Amino acid sequence: MMKPLILINCKTYAEVSGEKGVRFARKIASVKSGRYEIAVAPPLLLLREVAQKVRIAMFAQHVDSEEYGAHTGRILTAEVKEAGARGVILNHSERKVPFEILRKSVELCKKKGLEVVICASTIVEVKKVASLKPEYIAYEPAALIGGDVSVTTAKPEVIADVVRMVRKMSPRTRVLCGAGVHNREDLQTAIGLGASGVLLAH
């Protein structure tokens, strides 16, 4: 049985830029847990360096839907895979993606053997993205993102409903709980409600 995942999204905070990001990844990697798997999503330009210097599972914070070619400034699945990423976060609330582009990105990720975490902020969106059969769906109700109240406190019954719905639609997809996850209690509550871990940035 797979361990619950704690996925830490570093975003682009100054505290994890450059060498500070590598040091942060090392600190996270030094946390030993028999119960959980811990992974990081460092700033994109640090992917390769973190992979070379730290033994920890890594996710890219985003990829685009293009392959090699004339696509200035795009982030390619092939590049993040080669840099050492195990998976990719897509459709984060700060980087929403139109559904057809999301579908293409998921296809490219699967082709490259990258695990996919798709973020969804409503039940309707969860249903839609479940049809893409990602490895994970991170449910983050928009109203709670970045706040002081965890979704496990504000809407615990919704987490259980989302888990049941996703199991029916895509049995192999695991649900992560996001939005306002702050502490061990939030993590344990999420798992008690059927989630397979958390996506957090605090």
Side-chain angles (χ1 to χ4, degrees):
M1 190 173 168
M2 294 174 76
K3 293 179 186 177
L5 176 66
I6 299 173
L7 176 52
I8 302 165
N9 179 11
C10 297
K11 304 193 177 184
T12 55
Y13 290 116
E15 292 86 349
V16 289
S17 65
E19 188 55 36
K20 288 178 284 186
V22 178
R23 286 200 298 270
F24 175 78
R26 277 203 190 103
K27 277 185 185 175
I28 298 302
S30 72
V31 176
K32 304 299 177 197
S33 173
R35 292 186 62 191
Y36 306 108
E37 179 181 17
I38 304 173
V40 294
L44 279 160
L45 291 177
L46 286 180
L47 273 178
R48 187 179 302 278
E49 190 175 358
V50 170
Q52 288 170 348
K53 295 180 177 178
V54 186
R55 289 192 64 187
I56 191 166
M58 273 195 324
F59 284 68
Q61 293 181 20
H62 176 76
V63 290
D64 291 303
S65 59
E66 284 80 21
E67 298 188 73
Y68 288 117
H71 308 295
T72 301
R74 298 295 184 180
I75 301 157
L76 307 183
T77 52
E79 293 280 320
V80 301
K81 175 73 175 180
E82 199 267 332
R86 181 179 109 184
V88 169
I89 299 170
L90 292 172
N91 202 47
H92 191 275
S93 61
E94 295 160 359
R95 193 76 189 264
K96 284 293 186 189
V97 179
F99 187 74
E100 284 311 311
I101 292 175
L102 184 61
R103 184 198 301 279
K104 193 174 174 190
S105 296
V106 171
E107 285 170 5
L108 288 173
C109 287
K110 289 184 177 182
K111 220 188 271 186
K112 294 294 177 188
L114 288 162
E115 292 180 20
V116 177
V117 178
I118 301 181
C119 299
S121 53
T122 65
I123 300 294
V124 171
E125 195 173 24
V126 168
K127 282 184 182 172
K128 205 167 182 183
V129 301
S131 69
L132 300 176
K133 311 254 186 275
E135 280 71 27
Y136 296 93
I137 292 174
Y139 177 59
E140 300 185 294
L144 300 176
I145 292 169
D148 295 324
V149 180
S150 166
V151 64
T152 61
T153 304
K155 298 184 173 183
E157 69 291 340
V158 178
I159 296 298
D161 289 346
V162 165
V163 169
R164 279 193 293 270
M165 182 173 45
V166 170
R167 276 186 190 147
K168 276 186 191 171
M169 295 184 67
S170 179
R172 292 190 179 188
T173 298
R174 303 164 79 203
V175 173
L176 300 179
C177 185
V181 176
H182 295 284
N183 54 41
R184 181 190 297 266
E185 190 179 44
D186 291 336
L187 168 63
Q188 290 173 339
T189 303
I191 290 165
L193 291 165
S196 295
V198 293
L199 172 64
L200 54 88
H202 283 20

